[in-house]
Amino acid sequence: MLAPDNHLPTAELQAMDAAHHIHPFTDRAAMTKRGARVITRADGIYLWDSEGNKLLDGMAGLWCVGLGYGRRELIDVAARQMAQLPFYNTFFQTTHPPAALLSAKLAQLAPGALNHVFFAGSGSEANDTNLRMVRHYWASLGKPEKSVIIGRKNGYHGSTVAAASLGGMGPMHAQGGLPIPGIVHIDQPYWYGEGGDSSPEEFGLARARLLESEIERIGEDKIAAFIAEPVQGAGGVIIPPDSYWPEISRICKEREILLIVDEVITGFGRTGNWFGSDTFDITPDIMTIAKGMSSGYLPIGASLIADHVADVLQDKGGEFYHGYTYSGHPTTCAVALETLRIMQDERVVERVATETAPYLAQRWATLADHPLIGEARSCGMMAAIELSPEPKARAPFAAKTGTAGFICREICFANGLIMRSVGDTMIIAPPLVITKTEIDEMIVLAAKCLDQTHKALRKDGLLVPASEA
Ligand SMILES: *Cc1c(COP(=O)(O)O)cnc(C)c1O
């Protein structure tokens, strides 16, 4: 049986959409001119558009569809929960079985002392919760002046006012007067793009120590927390040098500040462990989760809170005047619970760690031999390649950043591969259930698209390094 209105012609859907739908992260004028891509169905790691074209979804939707599309158990559990209790809130001392069970399950899976859950509808909302919660935490301890939060340039923490302010995306800050006061940003551990002649290890240490100097500059007594992604996702799958996280951890242990680890992407198996904090040996005081926790089938996010923070809030915080109508929504909780059950029963994370991620790493690394590629890197089931006109020199293009990346992305779409561009970095984060055969297919497609991109860039006179502009 078809879902509603899947039978309408593409042009009709595009016209309605162009007239009435304002899309996220989209240049509406450009989209209206060409018509939106219409995706109508999906199965496993593949999508189909309204013209019948099949696409290998190298981005798992938006980093979230870990179990792939069409999982009957997730569909059925949502239907059963909706029949029993489609909605009730968790405000005012009320709960329901899915929220209670999911809280306990998350506490069991999460590392260390992260035993308490505050539910949200998305990663952005969870980070809004975190901002208010860390400030409320310090105020409850009689230190309301500890309110500044340190984030990172090119970090991504979501799109609400607080989340976009915590993030360090210049173009986002330029629209709407962000960041809000009380949030500062230090430089990122992006060795390929910013490391110059230093070794990755030296560079990682230097970038971590910026946290220390920023704490000194502002004053430890003014700082509430540091927030960071274990691996920057939307920033371009930026995997920090091995020296980075140990040094950040040292600084956070020595200083009286909270560490918020945003695992919206890296959580739930993406890096080959349940959490990026396991992979990088990080001890968060608060962790942000969303995306993969429901495999993207329904929207859910949450903040995981460590015992020592939750204890202070419980003993001294009083009522926390904060919550979302859909905090702990029963149907989304039921789908998240079922997602986690499937992941455990099918040993999805173990399979990524021992089989498919090592295989992806090995196959992905071969792309580094391509004459357009300055670096190929991967961490678990997320990976990036850097386009460059002079790969050995890690040279950026003379053309505006993102020109080559956009051309490559369009060529990928035309060849049935969804690979995202971030500037001139191409990234993938396929469903965690991708098989070795499907990885082979993805690599062959990617290599073909790089050949075509190389030709297109040469033809357009764009294979010019910035130094020769
Ligand atoms: C996607 C993302 C968010 C925001 O999550 P939404 O569900 O889109 O609000 C926050 N942090 C990171 C690291 C993300 O990748």
Side-chain angles (χ1 to χ4, degrees):
M1 194 182 72
L2 283 179
D5 299 328
N6 260 359
H7 58 282
L8 288 179
T10 302
E12 211 170 307
L13 289 164
Q14 285 171 329
M16 272 190 273
D17 193 84
H20 304 293
H21 181 185
I22 302 180
H23 291 240
F25 286 100
T26 295
D27 177 337
R28 195 178 188 188
M31 189 200 76
T32 301
K33 213 157 88 191
R34 63 178 285 172
R37 213 170 268 117
V38 183
I39 301 295
T40 50
R41 67 189 177 90
D43 189 35
I45 66 160
Y46 299 99
L47 299 161
W48 281 265
D49 71 15
S50 54
E51 298 298 291
N53 298 305
K54 183 180 178 185
L55 298 156
L56 192 162
D57 186 6
M59 283 305 297
L62 267 179
W63 320 85
C64 49
V65 188
L67 294 177
Y69 300 96
R71 286 300 301 235
R72 200 68 241 173
E73 306 93 314
L74 299 180
I75 302 160
D76 290 345
V77 82
R80 285 203 309 277
Q81 183 59 47
M82 287 177 98
Q84 171 134 354
L85 179 72
F87 175 74
Y88 196 71
N89 70 73
T90 54
F91 289 24
F92 321 131
Q93 308 191 9
T94 303
T95 194
H96 44 63
L101 285 161
L102 181 58
S103 308
K105 174 55 92 183
L106 290 168
Q108 181 207 332
L109 289 173
L114 296 169
N115 290 318
H116 312 267
V117 188
F118 193 104
F119 286 112
S122 67
S124 303
E125 287 178 13
N127 278 324
D128 275 51
T129 298
N130 294 342
L131 178 133
R132 294 198 60 207
M133 191 179 276
V134 297
R135 288 178 174 169
H136 180 51
Y137 166 86
W138 288 114
S140 301
L141 285 171
K143 299 178 180 175
E145 65 289 347
K146 275 175 81 70
S147 65
V148 175
I149 301 175
I150 303 175
R152 300 185 302 178
K153 289 175 192 158
N154 200 38
Y156 187 77
H157 300 298
S159 271
T160 53
V161 170
S165 295
L166 292 169
M169 297 290 178
M172 292 178 77
H173 288 174
Q175 296 173 338
L178 304 182
I180 54 173
I183 297 172
V184 296
H185 301 86
I186 58 173
D187 283 326
Q188 56 177 335
Y190 180 28
W191 177 79
Y192 177 89
E194 301 175 3
D197 293 333
S198 58
S199 72
E201 296 314 293
E202 288 165 357
F203 180 73
L205 268 186
R207 285 290 156 103
R209 285 178 185 156
L210 292 178
L211 176 60
E212 200 158 47
S213 45
E214 192 68 357
I215 295 170
E216 299 280 311
R217 187 179 72 80
I218 296 168
E220 191 175 335
D221 56 341
K222 299 281 190 302
I223 300 184
F226 173 59
I227 182 166
E229 304 152 83
V231 173
Q232 286 155 266
V237 182
I238 293 168
I239 305 162
D242 290 341
S243 55
Y244 185 76
W245 273 109
E247 187 68 358
I248 292 285
S249 294
R250 175 190 70 77
I251 295 163
C252 290
K253 278 199 193 88
E254 287 177 15
R255 307 294 180 138
E256 204 186 35
I257 66 170
L258 297 175
L259 174 59
I260 307 170
V261 179
D262 186 338
E263 296 238 22
V264 170
I265 286 175
T266 52
F268 305 100
R270 181 55 63 190
T271 67
N273 286 294
W274 274 92
F275 296 94
S277 292
D278 301 320
T279 301
F280 293 92
D281 196 19
I282 306 166
T283 308
D285 298 299
I286 295 179
M287 182 191 282
T288 321
I289 54 174
K291 293 193 172 123
M293 78 188 277
S294 63
S295 201
Y297 280 52
L298 284 175
I300 186 167
S303 305
L304 299 181
I305 318 294
D307 291 333
H308 64 278
V309 177
D311 288 349
V312 167
L313 292 169
Q314 180 157 330
D315 295 345
K316 303 188 160 68
E319 179 170 344
F320 188 29
Y321 301 113
H322 179 81
Y324 308 107
T325 299
Y326 301 130
S327 286
H329 188 291
T331 311
T332 63
C333 285
V335 169
L337 259 177
E338 185 65 5
T339 298
L340 301 179
R341 183 199 66 73
I342 294 171
M343 288 184 70
Q344 285 193 302
D345 285 1
E346 298 185 2
R347 304 177 58 78
V348 171
V349 182
E350 290 83 347
R351 195 148 27 95
V352 167
T354 58
E355 291 176 36
T356 48
Y359 190 68
L360 175 71
Q362 176 205 329
R363 298 288 281 124
W364 190 257
T366 63
L367 296 174
D369 300 333
H370 194 279
L372 190 58
I373 298 304
E375 183 181 77
R377 56 178 181 266
S378 72
C379 175
M381 272 297 152
M382 58 200 299
I385 40 179
E386 299 278 2
L387 306 181
S388 169
E390 262 179 20
K392 288 205 170 54
R394 310 198 326 254
F397 289 91
K400 187 165 173 280
T401 304
T403 307
F406 181 80
I407 289 169
C408 184
R409 187 187 80 182
E410 294 304 296
I411 286 173
C412 289
F413 263 115
N415 283 286
L417 172 64
I418 298 184
M419 181 148 73
R420 175 162 156 185
S421 61
V422 178
D424 296 319
T425 310
M426 304 305 299
I427 62 176
I428 54 143
L432 301 179
V433 295
I434 191 171
T435 63
K436 287 184 178 177
T437 313
E438 290 165 341
I439 289 172
D440 284 336
E441 182 191 344
M442 182 171 71
I443 299 289
V444 168
L445 269 175
K448 175 178 165 195
C449 295
L450 290 177
D451 287 343
Q452 290 183 16
T453 303
H454 202 207
K455 278 206 192 88
L457 293 176
R458 184 178 295 123
K459 185 166 137 279
D460 294 346
L462 291 170
L463 274 182
V464 181
S467 55
E468 287 171 27

